[in-house]
Amino acid sequence: MGPAVQTGAFIFPDPPLKAVSMPWVAAGRRLHILGLTSAIRFCHAAWLALVGAGAVAAAEPPARVDFARDIAPLLEQRCIRCHQASDPRGEISLATADALREAGYLVAGQPGQSTLLEVVSPTADGKPRMPQEGEPLSAEQVALLSRWIEQGAEWPKEIVLAERAKGDLSWWSLQPLRRDEPPDAAELLPLWRENPIDRFIGTRLRAEGLSPNPPADRTTLIRRVTYDLTGLPPTPEDVAAFVADSAPDAYERLVERLLAAPHYGEHWGRHWLDVVRFGESNGYEQNFLIETIWPFRDYVIESFNQDKPFDRLILEHLAGDSLAPGDPQVEVGLTFLVCGPYDSVGNQDAVQAAQIRANTVDEMIRTTAESFLGLTVGCARCHNHKFDPILQRDYYRMYATFAGVFHDDRVVATDEHRRQREEQLQPLVHQRGELEQQRNALVEAAIARAGEQLTATWIRPPAARTGTEERLASVEARFVRLVVTRSDTNPASPFPYKIDEFEIWTAGGEPRNVAAASAGAKAAGTSPRPGDFSEAYSADLVIDGEFGQRWTAASPELTIELARPEIIDRVFFSSDRRGTLGQHGTVAFVADYRIETSLDGVAWHTVADSRDRQPVSDAHRRQRLLDANATPAEKEQLAQLGRQIGELDGQIAAVPAPPSLRVGRLEQPAPEQFLFERGDPQRRGERVVPASLETLAHATPGYELAADAPEAQRRLALAQWIVAAGNPLPPRVLANRIWHYHFGMGIVNTPSDLGYMGGRPSYPELLDWLASRLQSEGWRLKPLHKLIVTSQAYQQSGDYRPAAAQVDADSRLLWRFPPRRLAGEEIRDAMLAAAGQLDSRRGGPGFRLYHYLRDNVSTYVPLDNVGPETYRRAVYHQNARAARIDLVTDFDAPDCAFPAPRRVGTTTPLQALTLMNHSFTVDMAARLAERVARDAPGEDRAAQIRRAFELTLSRPPSPAETAAATELIESFGMRAFCRALF
């Protein structure tokens, strides 16, 4: 692509592009939307003559009107917003000359016959029809349009108009990085001359008439930097050692130790997981947990701990499969693309399915652009960006890049790993096959001996999912028991099976269902996984009178206790009463069974069974014949073969399988990809190919791939373009994010939006210097961390000064260190640490602070009480979308349904109530009280109070605090005091 011509905010490549035709404009059709009469045309012509008479004082011919210079900006500014091809509400498009001519709005050389001129000219009442919004065009502007039409209405084919963005290509964040040296610091305090960051900040403060705060005391400083780098409080021993260390490099050594601690990656990895909207359920209606996605969390944490270059991390996030094919430690980075929410329900309607797919790809585009580029590219899904110079076709170039990525698990392994595993499995599989053959031969021999006597007894229809009825001889019963011997999906076992309703009907002329809970009956049966299921999965479901929810059995027996002894003669039970799952639904049902009754629940009598029913399937038939005809010796031999096969199955299962990770299913997309007009997949516009954003064409070389480019090549090209040395956005965005987490607000206070609608940089030169420094140090974060936290700006106190606040209320210029509140995870982890209960185990599947209930949808029920198995750091919690996590949620932990580049801080009564009354707080207060008693034994109450303050607040109490604490403990005990500290 050659040099570009720019009109307004848009770039036009050379060679020229063909103007986009407007398929909705009928050829030759003139839209008289205003119903203008020839009389108005006459008035208009007369008015133009008057204007011309007043404007032209000499006989010189008017200057030639240049479309790109004079007309295009006018139409872009005043008209194109409502009149473009992607917006049918405007009825006509002003994007191209062809569109205007075909609509009858432009007649070259004849202003009086051009409806375009009519609608912007004053009518009889002095007001023009257009524009409907904003001020009318001035007389000079109307005259300019008239001259242009009169001179032939020349409109270069390569110029296609689009709405002018508020921010154009001169926007600050789109410019190459400035590499200014830090300002001269001769007039600053000596300590503010050493760190380049301080020289930028100190100079600006001085220019604004501000002075910085003095340094923070050492106790405050170690608490600040320890929380900042690890998310945990310093231990009292660490505080004492740092306060006593007078060496000049004491603070620098502390910083290096914290950056080397594994807790650093856990804390800063959590920040990045917020940005990339990492969640462990798919969201939407079903919101199922994804059990294969946690390795990405561990990968992020380990990448931060290793100080992996961030440009490498970006490459792995977008194209890890191209960098190290089959390596799980690298390919797991692709989870970035598919760790967001997605609609797993699907839709049989093709139109809706296409819309769902478009929404899924849109989510990937938005997260990629905002995470790495700080651009809201997603706003160009339906039209050119209203505020930033991002074209709609740029959006769909990214769409073509991600068109082959689908949310799914995939086995990740190298060819060598697969070969080694196959070598281990082959002899085991061969041996198992031989045993299986022996077992099959015995089974076939036994079945072959079966005569017709048994099958002749199968006279009744088989048990059915939609309902199985047993007619009984009238019998008195207080208890009725269903004993299942086979399920329809497992002929050799009663499991699994489910029942949605079980009915017991009385004998006589007016039968009643006495098994209903409303009649006083009770149901008893074992459900699987009691820790994961609430009462909604109990046996009570079978007598609630409703169909749909099913009891899942974990034992062969279901017992119904009636309210009183009754004379009964019929039993009816089902698994799919309404038949919504079809004949071969996924819900397993009872195939063979017996019905027993009892008056006392001790002595049982069989009153019906399924022996005379037909088998539910061929496998069921064969199992019946085998049971009836195999000899005792054959049954023993079959049992022995079964045990041997089971042992081999265990050995086969023990051979490590390649990991199945949530890294996406990657498919080659269709070669033809299109722009969707107004974002509608059913309205295809121009063809697009995978390519870079034209927005940054002036700053870094772009790329454009063939329409049939391999799927992996598309993502790799995008990733390489993002991290290219000349791309100014990724280093700016990353440096700003790091600054944001250290100071509570970025140099740009919208970390994922550096565009027109984002914030303006408080220190633009400093931001570019930090971004350049980041690149020069190989995109490693730890050197940047160290530079920031060793600055005087970071080490100064947070004391409030009213005079300075009058100039800079939010301390964006950093005349003081802005105090910040702990995040929800930090509060929880700090309580565990103070109480001595923090489990420092790293990695692996996460723990849960909720009961997980899954049927057609998922339910997350918060736990009222939690045990030591949940005492790990909060980053290891299995974070599901739309799941409340008590204390952490109360303190503004975001829902991972969306990226959270910055957290919102709220103050609510619930926060105070949670810290006072939640069972976790009560438990940790008790553990803290026990720890204090161990650490300061005896009756030295002052020592115990001091220890508790040091563990929770990293400082000793004041005399007044000691007195108040002593009084509280004497009245209510040590646990109440510890709760008050929390």
Side-chain angles (χ1 to χ4, degrees):
M1 193 171 283
V5 177
Q6 181 175 346
T7 292
F10 300 94
I11 303 173
F12 306 99
D14 182 21
L17 297 175
K18 291 183 178 180
V20 180
S21 63
M22 304 300 136
W24 52 267
V25 178
R29 180 183 176 192
R30 185 169 184 172
L31 304 180
H32 294 281
I33 59 174
L34 300 178
L36 297 175
T37 64
S38 57
I40 294 178
R41 286 196 178 128
F42 175 82
C43 293
H44 160 253
W47 180 81
L48 281 180
L50 290 174
V51 171
V56 181
E60 295 181 5
R64 190 76 182 173
V65 179
D66 182 87
F67 178 81
R69 182 193 64 210
D70 303 322
I71 303 301
L74 175 61
L75 297 180
E76 284 177 339
Q77 291 173 350
R78 306 304 307 277
C79 308
I80 200 69
R81 177 182 179 185
C82 299
H83 297 283
Q84 50 188 306
S86 59
D87 191 347
R89 294 172 298 177
E91 297 193 13
I92 67 164
S93 169
L94 273 69
T96 65
D98 288 344
L100 278 175
R101 293 189 185 103
E102 291 172 2
Y105 269 67
L106 183 63
V107 181
Q110 300 185 42
Q113 296 299 314
S114 297
T115 305
L116 172 64
L117 204 60
E118 292 178 1
V119 299
V120 299
S121 301
T123 58
D125 61 0
K127 296 181 180 179
R129 298 290 190 267
M130 294 289 170
Q132 292 183 351
E133 297 179 6
E135 294 295 322
L137 269 62
S138 67
E140 291 78 8
Q141 290 172 326
V142 174
L144 184 66
L145 277 173
S146 178
R147 284 165 48 209
W148 170 66
I149 296 172
E150 186 176 6
Q151 293 173 3
E154 293 183 4
W155 185 326
K157 285 283 187 181
E158 66 270 20
I159 298 181
V160 178
L161 300 187
E163 185 176 356
R164 178 184 291 269
K166 297 288 192 299
D168 58 19
L169 292 172
S170 65
W171 188 250
W172 70 269
S173 65
L174 305 179
Q175 304 312 303
L177 289 177
R178 296 175 55 181
R179 303 180 186 275
D180 298 340
E181 289 299 316
D184 180 32
E187 297 180 349
L188 301 180
L189 296 172
L191 286 177
W192 283 72
R193 301 173 191 169
E194 299 174 4
N195 190 307
I197 291 174
D198 293 329
R199 290 160 64 183
F200 280 104
I201 293 175
T203 301
R204 175 71 180 279
L205 290 176
R206 184 178 179 85
E208 298 290 342
L210 295 169
S211 60
N213 272 356
D217 64 80
R218 292 177 76 82
T219 298
T220 298
L221 186 58
I222 186 175
R223 183 175 172 88
R224 175 189 299 168
V225 75
T226 304
Y227 267 119
D228 191 11
L229 294 181
T230 69
L232 292 171
T235 66
E237 294 71 26
D238 288 339
V239 174
F242 177 67
V243 170
D245 191 345
S246 59
D249 65 342
Y251 181 60
E252 183 177 349
R253 284 186 282 108
L254 168 65
V255 170
E256 290 175 347
R257 176 174 64 81
L258 294 173
L259 288 172
H263 292 313
Y264 159 78
E266 292 171 332
H267 184 55
W268 280 82
R270 177 69 265 170
H271 292 328
W272 185 241
L273 294 174
D274 277 0
V275 172
V276 303
R277 84 313 187 197
F278 173 75
E280 298 187 64
S281 69
N282 65 297
Y284 289 88
E285 303 100 299
Q286 292 182 318
N287 202 23
F288 295 152
L289 280 176
I290 305 172
E291 303 288 2
T292 54
I293 204 169
W294 61 263
F296 178 75
R297 174 246 294 150
D298 289 356
Y299 153 86
V300 168
I301 291 172
E302 192 58 27
S303 295
F304 274 84
N305 277 331
Q306 293 175 353
D307 204 15
K308 180 182 292 182
F310 213 84
D311 59 344
R312 172 70 183 191
L313 193 73
I314 294 173
L315 288 167
E316 291 177 356
H317 277 7
L318 295 174
D321 55 325
S322 295
L323 304 179
D327 185 349
Q329 300 303 316
V330 177
E331 281 208 43
V332 68
L334 288 175
T335 301
F336 162 81
L337 290 173
V338 294
C339 67
Y342 71 99
D343 188 347
S344 60
V345 176
N347 198 297
Q348 298 301 314
D349 181 81
V351 173
Q352 291 303 315
Q355 188 64 55
I356 291 171
R357 176 59 183 162
N359 294 343
T360 302
V361 177
D362 175 74
E363 198 274 338
M364 297 182 202
I365 293 172
R366 291 173 184 268
T367 304
T368 300
E370 294 171 16
S371 298
F372 304 137
L373 300 173
L375 292 177
T376 55
V377 172
C379 294
R381 179 179 181 180
C382 302
H383 46 67
N384 293 329
H385 203 295
K386 300 290 188 183
F387 301 100
D388 297 327
I390 302 172
L391 301 178
Q392 189 181 12
R393 65 172 173 268
D394 280 343
Y395 173 92
Y396 285 97
R397 286 168 168 175
M398 289 191 73
Y399 194 106
T401 299
F402 295 131
V405 181
F406 295 84
H407 287 71
D408 208 344
D409 291 357
R410 180 164 52 83
V411 172
V412 180
T414 62
D415 292 340
E416 178 62 19
H417 185 194
R418 294 175 189 271
R419 184 188 62 79
Q420 292 176 354
R421 185 171 187 272
E422 185 61 30
E423 290 178 353
Q424 289 179 275
L425 286 175
Q426 189 172 7
L428 298 174
V429 172
H430 179 73
Q431 185 179 354
R432 189 189 188 284
E434 291 181 339
L435 295 175
E436 190 71 40
Q437 287 180 354
Q438 296 177 37
R439 183 169 67 177
N440 290 342
L442 285 171
V443 169
E444 293 301 327
I447 291 176
R449 294 196 301 269
E452 297 182 359
Q453 296 85 353
L454 179 62
T455 58
T457 64
W458 300 340
I459 58 175
R460 290 198 293 160
R465 297 171 185 273
T466 53
T468 300
E469 183 180 72
E470 282 293 348
R471 293 281 182 175
L472 319 174
S474 296
V475 60
E476 185 179 17
R478 175 73 184 275
F479 299 88
V480 177
R481 182 164 70 184
L482 171 69
V483 181
V484 181
T485 55
R486 289 189 182 91
S487 72
D488 66 340
T489 57
N490 189 354
S493 168
F495 303 114
Y497 71 90
K498 295 185 178 184
I499 296 178
D500 66 353
E501 203 68 16
F502 192 95
E503 300 170 354
I504 304 170
W505 293 88
T506 58
E510 296 181 359
R512 294 174 290 114
N513 175 22
V514 291
S518 58
K522 299 177 183 178
T526 305
S527 301
R529 299 185 297 170
D532 285 347
F533 288 83
S534 73
E535 293 179 356
Y537 279 73
S538 72
D540 291 337
L541 281 173
V542 306
I543 58 172
D544 63 359
E546 299 179 1
F547 311 120
Q549 276 196 311
R550 300 166 183 85
W551 170 62
T552 301
S555 67
E557 299 176 356
L558 170 66
T559 303
I560 309 297
E561 180 184 356
L562 308 182
R564 65 189 63 83
E566 299 277 4
I567 304 298
I568 64 173
D569 66 357
R570 184 162 62 98
V571 169
F572 193 96
F573 54 93
S574 60
S575 175
D576 181 22
R577 185 73 63 97
R578 295 191 178 116
T580 57
L581 300 176
Q583 182 63 28
H584 302 288
T586 57
V587 175
F589 184 54
V590 177
D592 272 344
Y593 59 88
R594 64 179 182 270
I595 305 293
E596 300 175 342
T597 63
S598 173
L599 284 170
D600 57 7
V602 177
W604 293 90
H605 306 282
T606 299
V607 295
D609 59 45
S610 60
R611 287 180 298 177
D612 62 344
R613 287 189 179 276
Q614 297 170 10
V616 297
S617 65
D618 183 65
H620 188 202
R621 180 188 65 82
R622 289 170 58 82
Q623 186 66 44
R624 278 192 182 183
L625 294 174
L626 176 64
D627 292 345
N629 292 280
T631 66
E634 288 173 331
K635 290 181 179 180
E636 174 57 32
Q637 191 174 359
L638 286 170
Q640 183 177 356
L641 287 170
R643 288 190 293 270
Q644 292 175 336
I645 291 173
E647 291 174 1
L648 283 171
D649 286 341
Q651 295 177 40
I652 291 172
V655 177
S660 181
L661 306 174
R662 181 52 61 100
V663 291
R665 185 177 77 256
L666 307 175
E667 300 179 357
Q668 182 64 23
E672 288 192 335
Q673 298 290 323
F674 299 89
L675 178 150
F676 298 157
E677 294 181 1
R678 300 298 298 171
D680 184 354
Q682 306 307 311
R683 298 178 59 196
R684 292 181 171 184
E686 63 179 285
R687 286 182 173 86
V688 294
V689 296
S692 54
L693 304 183
E694 292 185 19
T695 304
L696 292 169
H698 67 293
T700 185
Y703 69 90
E704 183 174 299
L705 303 180
D708 60 351
E711 190 278 330
Q713 183 184 352
R714 301 167 185 236
R715 292 179 285 105
L716 180 61
L718 173 63
Q720 291 172 334
W721 175 78
I722 287 176
V723 301
N727 192 337
L729 284 172
R732 275 197 184 107
V733 171
L734 183 56
N736 188 64
R737 289 197 197 282
I738 302 301
W739 192 271
H740 164 80
Y741 289 117
H742 280 304
F743 289 99
M745 183 180 295
I747 294 175
V748 179
N749 62 359
T750 51
S752 286
D753 185 2
L754 271 58
Y756 183 84
M757 293 301 289
R760 306 300 185 262
S762 56
Y763 284 100
E765 297 85 0
L766 173 58
L767 179 58
D768 274 17
W769 186 88
L770 291 170
S772 299
R773 179 72 173 253
L774 180 66
Q775 285 184 317
S776 67
E777 292 184 332
W779 291 78
R780 297 184 182 276
L781 301 188
K782 288 187 179 182
L784 188 60
H785 286 307
K786 183 177 178 181
L787 186 68
I788 291 174
V789 301
T790 55
S791 68
Q792 294 302 310
Y794 182 87
Q795 295 181 64
Q796 65 183 321
S797 78
D799 294 343
Y800 181 79
R801 289 157 38 211
Q806 288 292 324
V807 179
D808 180 22
D810 295 330
S811 189
R812 289 203 65 193
L813 300 180
L814 296 178
W815 53 268
R816 69 165 179 160
F817 183 85
R820 73 172 181 90
R821 282 187 6 188
L822 298 182
E825 293 92 338
E826 291 172 301
I827 293 174
R828 180 183 180 276
D829 293 350
M831 293 169 71
L832 287 167
Q837 299 297 304
L838 182 63
D839 182 347
S840 295
R841 284 180 299 140
R842 299 164 55 198
F847 64 92
R848 300 177 187 172
L849 294 174
Y850 49 76
H851 281 301
Y852 174 49
L853 314 175
R854 172 171 174 170
D855 196 355
N856 292 326
V857 297
S858 299
T859 304
Y860 298 86
V861 182
L863 295 176
D864 292 328
N865 296 284
V866 298
E869 72 279 0
T870 69
Y871 289 172
R872 302 174 67 196
R873 292 204 66 176
V875 71
Y876 296 114
H877 182 257
Q878 192 172 28
N879 278 350
R881 294 182 164 91
R884 180 172 176 77
I885 318 170
D886 283 351
L887 184 146
V888 178
T889 301
D890 292 338
F891 284 90
D892 306 311
D895 186 346
C896 43
F898 305 98
R902 58 178 178 175
R903 293 197 176 187
V904 176
T906 63
T907 301
T908 69
L910 188 59
Q911 294 166 346
L913 294 171
T914 297
L915 285 180
M916 180 61 71
N917 299 321
H918 196 279
S919 60
F920 177 77
T921 303
V922 175
D923 290 345
M924 289 305 103
R927 302 291 83 77
L928 176 60
E930 294 168 0
R931 181 179 184 183
V932 167
R934 290 193 307 270
D935 293 353
E939 299 301 323
D940 190 346
R941 187 68 72 200
Q944 292 176 343
I945 293 171
R946 180 184 180 91
R947 182 62 173 171
F949 264 81
E950 290 173 342
L951 288 169
T952 54
L953 303 178
S954 305
R955 64 171 178 82
S958 67
E961 288 171 332
T962 300
T966 301
E967 182 179 351
L968 175 62
I969 293 170
E970 290 176 351
S971 300
F972 300 102
M974 181 61 73
R975 292 187 179 184
F977 164 62
C978 291
R979 285 173 69 188
L981 281 180
F982 284 149

